[in-house]
Amino acid sequence: MMKRKETIGQQCFRQSLEDRTRRHFLRDSTTGLGALWLASQSAATDAAVLPKHARDNPLSPLAPPLSAKVKRVIYLHMVGAPSQLELFDYKPDLKMLDGKDCPQSFLDGKRFAFINGTPKMLGPQFPFRQHGDCGAWFSDRMPHLASHADDLCFIKTMQTDQFNHGPAQLMVHTGTSQMGSPSIGSWVTWGLGTENSDLPGFIVLLSGGRLPRVGKALWSAGFLPSVYQGVQCRSQGDPVLNVSNPNGVTREERRRVLDTLDELNRHSHESFGDPETLTRIAQYEMAFRMQASAPEVMDLKNESAQTLAAYGADPEKESFANNCLLARRLVENGVRFVQLYDWGWDTHGSSKSEALEFGLVDKCKQTDQPIAALLADLKSRGLMEDTLVVWGGEFGRTPMRENRGGKEMAFMGRDHSPDAFTIWMAGAGVKSGYTHGETDAVGYTPAVDPVQVRDMHATLLHLMGFNHQQMSYPFKGLNQKLTGVKEARVVEAILA
């Protein structure tokens, strides 16, 4: 007897049955085993808050479950870890120790990326002075930013448990050192959606000529639906690759194609219930709307010559300055989370471009004026009232000079130091002209008030209206959280 040929739908259904596991049975069994297991979970699990987006729009705007001070975030990540000892954490005692052998107590039990033997102590390479009514210390490498001293909220005692770039960058942006978890921006967009249906809720801008060490994993949606991943845009040419229709294809023809795809995808979702199908529909529709909205929002030629000069931006060239100006335009147009990555802050002293006296100087010149202009621009437009700007790297630098291979190097540099680094915030919800925490006499470890990366994450979520313990997503049998399984706290002292 001839076997009847299966349709594609029947093949998919049969395959789904073959792929079912014991976990699926326990979850879905009519004997109620899945329900019994769920009922046995703790009250904390029951308290988890899942955002309820419109069924046909996973990016529909939502109000946060708690009171929020911040509606949108601009996160400036300096890829490679800037030296806090050359920028914001002034240590006169370290200057007096310059050139002396590092005490053995600084080396015992520590892990370093490149230091060998007994390195020399290295004093700050640039002069410092206090600025503003708050008296915050700045080196002369950041003169424009120093004029905003009374707008900034410093955390001088940030700590991480990672001392290599890739894992440390993942830790700062996803809460874990391994790939596969959602970025902060993805969590926020999942929780709040987007305020502008014509633009993504989470946009990523790059500068410095290279991707971060672990690339797109830093703005991945991880185990969240993929519609919440960051959308990488460009500050030169088409803002998104392939945003323009191919030659000979009109917008009306594009619309007809999408209508057909929409019909097929909705039929698929009705048959199999895969949430990624809704994501696919939403992404196609978003891409269609972006063809009209993104080029206009991201066209810097619409800005005045005075504004371009204030940022040091040039519409004809890709740059960090352009990205700062684009960040303002994006949050002004309802984008929830804008992430800037600027590569080139790794100052080991292994080459001129990685030297404190050359490479760091260049990076400061490229970023100081645009950041100061961004803060002034946001303030003048009233956007600072509900926008938070965050600046930082993935870890700090050592108070001793790097001696790769146990030898003195041709240029000045510092090794990785996870025990203490500086970040700052400005804008909604945080104290202005305030410094939290203090490092020891040489800027090596916290003397008071250490802050873990997960504490920073808990604080960011709190400012946006979320309890970090309740914001979770079920995956691999666990309720996954940005702050992980270790204890995390909101840093109340920095809150306005």
Side-chain angles (χ1 to χ4, degrees), residues 95 148 190 206 242 249 262 268 285 299 327 359 403 423 468:
K95 187 174 183 178
H148 292 273
W190 174 62
L206 307 177
N242 303 315
V249 176
D262 179 83
S268 174
E285 292 300 322
D299 187 359
N403 62 338
I423 71 164
H468 68 276

Side-chain angles (χ1 to χ4, degrees), residues 134 136 138 148-156 388-391 422-436 491 493-496:
C134 65
F138 290 78
H148 292 273
D150 290 330
D151 296 320
L152 306 185
C153 178
F154 285 100
I155 300 179
K156 296 285 185 72
L388 182 68
V389 180
V390 183
W391 179 99
T422 297
I423 71 164
W424 60 256
M425 303 179 185
V430 296
K431 291 178 181 176
S432 300
Y434 176 75
T435 294
H436 181 78
V491 187
I494 73 169
L495 302 182

Side-chain angles (χ1 to χ4, degrees), residues 37 73 97 124 143 162 168 197 202 263 283 295 306 369 421 451 462 465:
W37 179 83
V73 173
L97 293 171
Q162 299 298 317
S197 61
F202 177 19
E263 185 178 345
Q283 287 174 325
Q306 183 180 4
Q369 178 182 340
F421 62 106
V451 177
H462 172 81

Side-chain angles (χ1 to χ4, degrees), residues 147-200:
S147 67
H148 292 273
D150 290 330
D151 296 320
L152 306 185
C153 178
F154 285 100
I155 300 179
K156 296 285 185 72
T157 50
M158 287 297 305
Q159 291 189 305
T160 179
D161 58 8
Q162 299 298 317
F163 68 100
N164 282 327
H165 292 290
Q169 289 162 13
L170 283 166
M171 179 65 73
V172 166
H173 293 285
T174 71
T176 176
S177 60
Q178 299 178 341
M179 294 186 183
S181 292
S183 164
I184 310 169
S186 297
W187 281 107
V188 169
T189 311
W190 174 62
L192 297 176
T194 180
E195 293 181 305
N196 185 339
S197 61
D198 294 338
L199 291 170

Side-chain angles (χ1 to χ4, degrees), residues 150-351:
D150 290 330
D151 296 320
L152 306 185
C153 178
F154 285 100
I155 300 179
K156 296 285 185 72
T157 50
M158 287 297 305
Q159 291 189 305
T160 179
D161 58 8
Q162 299 298 317
F163 68 100
N164 282 327
H165 292 290
Q169 289 162 13
L170 283 166
M171 179 65 73
V172 166
H173 293 285
T174 71
T176 176
S177 60
Q178 299 178 341
M179 294 186 183
S181 292
S183 164
I184 310 169
S186 297
W187 281 107
V188 169
T189 311
W190 174 62
L192 297 176
T194 180
E195 293 181 305
N196 185 339
S197 61
D198 294 338
L199 291 170
F202 177 19
I203 286 182
V204 177
L205 301 169
L206 307 177
S207 58
R210 281 181 55 177
L211 280 170
R213 198 66 58 95
V214 290
K216 297 180 180 180
L218 293 179
W219 54 92
S220 163
F223 43 74
L224 295 176
S226 57
V227 70
Y228 302 114
Q229 72 184 12
V231 175
Q232 182 183 337
C233 293
R234 305 186 300 167
S235 59
Q236 184 183 28
D238 280 348
V240 181
L241 292 176
N242 303 315
V243 74
S244 302
N245 286 323
N247 292 334
V249 176
T250 66
R251 187 164 177 79
E252 291 72 24
E253 289 170 329
R254 179 79 166 178
R255 180 68 267 171
R256 287 197 295 272
V257 169
L258 289 180
D259 288 342
T260 303
L261 282 173
D262 179 83
E263 185 178 345
L264 292 171
N265 281 323
R266 290 190 185 281
H267 176 72
S268 174
H269 185 259
E270 289 170 4
S271 301
F272 306 107
D274 185 354
E276 279 296 302
T277 307
L278 293 179
T279 288
R280 188 158 55 245
I281 294 170
Q283 287 174 325
Y284 283 142
E285 292 300 322
M286 172 70 75
F288 182 74
R289 295 193 299 270
M290 282 179 64
Q291 287 185 313
S293 60
E296 180 181 356
V297 171
M298 302 191 72
D299 187 359
L300 296 184
K301 293 177 182 177
N302 293 330
E303 294 288 341
S304 68
Q306 183 180 4
T307 298
L308 292 172
Y311 280 85
D314 182 348
E316 302 300 326
K317 298 179 181 178
E318 197 167 55
S319 68
F320 179 79
N322 285 10
N323 289 349
C324 283
L325 181 49
L326 284 173
R328 188 268 289 164
R329 292 176 65 87
L330 290 168
V331 297
E332 194 173 36
N333 281 274
V335 175
R336 186 76 68 183
F337 203 102
V338 182
Q339 177 73 62
L340 273 63
Y341 290 100
D342 185 58
W343 183 86
W345 291 86
D346 197 12
T347 47
H348 286 284
S350 57
S351 65

